[in-house]
Amino acid sequence: MAAPAPRPVLVVDFGAQYAQLIARRVREAHVYSEIVPHTMSVSEMLAKQPAAIVLSGGPSSVYADGAPSVDPALFDSGVPVFGICYGFQAMAQALGGTVERTGLSEYGGTPLEVTEAGAALFAGLPARQSVWMSHGDSVTRAPDGFVVSATSAGAPVAAMESLDRRLAGVQFHPEVMHSEHGQQVLESFLHGIAGLEPTWTTEGVIDDQVARIRDQVGDGLVVCGLSGGVDSAVAAALVQRAVGDQLTCVFVDHGLLRAGEAEQVERDFVAATGVRLVVVDAQRRFLDALAGVTDPEQKRKIIGREFIRVFEDAARDVVAQAGESGRTVDFLVQGTLYPDVVESGGGSGTANIKSHHNVGGLPDDLAFTLVEPLRTLFKDEVRQVGLELGLPPEIVWRHPFPGPGLAIRIVGAVDAERLAILRAADAIAREELTAAGLDRDVWQFPVVLLADVRSVGVQGDGRTYGHPIVLRPVSSEDAMTADWSRLPYDVLARISTRITNEVRDVNRVVLDVTSKPPGTIEWE
């Protein structure tokens, strides 16, 4: 039997840019965390039996009309609570403290002075340190029963704690790397004030998920949609460890893959795991379904629908080949991750940014029960699980690649000719990045074809009217936030020169220097 789920630390999302990062930092302290919306009632939160609650930052002002508030009942529940930025101010206000606009806003790196020598939040830390601030309002008077433990030029109460009630908060953002001791402050709350043991590990995830998969699947037959990426590969390896030969992996060559990917799946993953693999050539089917479609959400939904139909056909073949008439394949494994759930509107109560092919793109008449062993994990956690399962580094450290493939890297309609152009440009970009030894320095490197855009160029002493290619190298920790990668100019120059020389119908290469937010990593 599967062990009971760990009691989570709930991260209450007030619309913060960094809510997901807070959840990751909690897990880095070896404590399990989940994100919940600020609209969730206290009774609903307590029904989850939280080990502690963290109130995130947010863009609102606590005294503005309609601003999110915190039910004071939360602080009488006995659950340890930690407030960050807006959550800190909402906590102070709910408990009778004072929040004001003092005119002393603080943004970016800010000196912090610890004013209480015995403060639990800052145990063992310097009395003066740099933290990351982002606030216009300030707590000017702490609630009764709280000790003010730190201050800054613009925040008279920059940190406070009430140890007997296990409540604490900070005006700054401990979750961001720019707060030089931020992780230690967060751990001081989790391990010290809240008294939580650092017992959550990815090794425990493997044991727990193997038990859960066995409970869910029993002696049923399972198919896994294998893409060759780390998510589906780790999900498949977990399920294989749990149920062995009950699993058949189905690799759908939908014609939307990058150069060499089909061969990599058949060679590397099968060699590493020995899993049973069925390869389905569905290129014509997908191209016909996508013909003339330009809307990115529609592309995603079409691809999700066709994937499922292909799996249904493959499942019937799996049963037929096994000679097990009367049996059906009832379970489908997918490599859905926690950011996929969050961005599809299912994790934090935030807006649906885009349908992930595993979350928002599935048909209503799905014939399978989903098995999603990675649904609560971030990408870096998935990589660690993959290494512990013995998958080769070539798979574990592969750059993320979207399930809908190159279809969402073509801005415009998808056809075989446009795919060939993009596939060639993408292969050049990846080759040059690898040759420069920069694969590990870049989280993801989308190469985008602006298929419905043309620009004038000069090639071979003649006028051309070709497509632009966009390079989108990004650096990130978990894909929830990202920044564009500062690749060396000589590497960018080689990529540009090769693409414009070697790829037909392309006469311009541009670099996307947008962070996330406001942009997303993929263009569609």
Side-chain angles (χ1 to χ4, degrees), residues 91-98 139 141-147 157 160 165:
M91 169 192 281
Q93 184 184 62
L95 290 169
T98 303
V139 178
R141 184 180 63 83
D144 293 342
F146 279 78
V147 172
V157 183
M160 64 183 188
R165 299 178 65 184

Side-chain angles (χ1 to χ4, degrees), residues 89 98-102 104 135-140 154-156 171:
Q89 295 174 5
T98 303
V99 181
E100 297 179 282
R101 182 170 294 275
T102 63
L104 298 174
H135 70 98
D137 301 339
S138 299
V139 178
T140 55
Q171 179 61 68

Side-chain angles (χ1 to χ4, degrees), residues 3 29 48 61 83 168 203 230 243 267 321 328 333 347 349 409 489 516 520:
K48 289 179 169 286
S61 172
E203 295 96 327
V230 62
V243 300
R267 180 185 67 244
Q321 292 170 11
T328 60
V333 180
R409 292 183 178 177
Y489 289 150
K516 174 188 178 181
T520 56

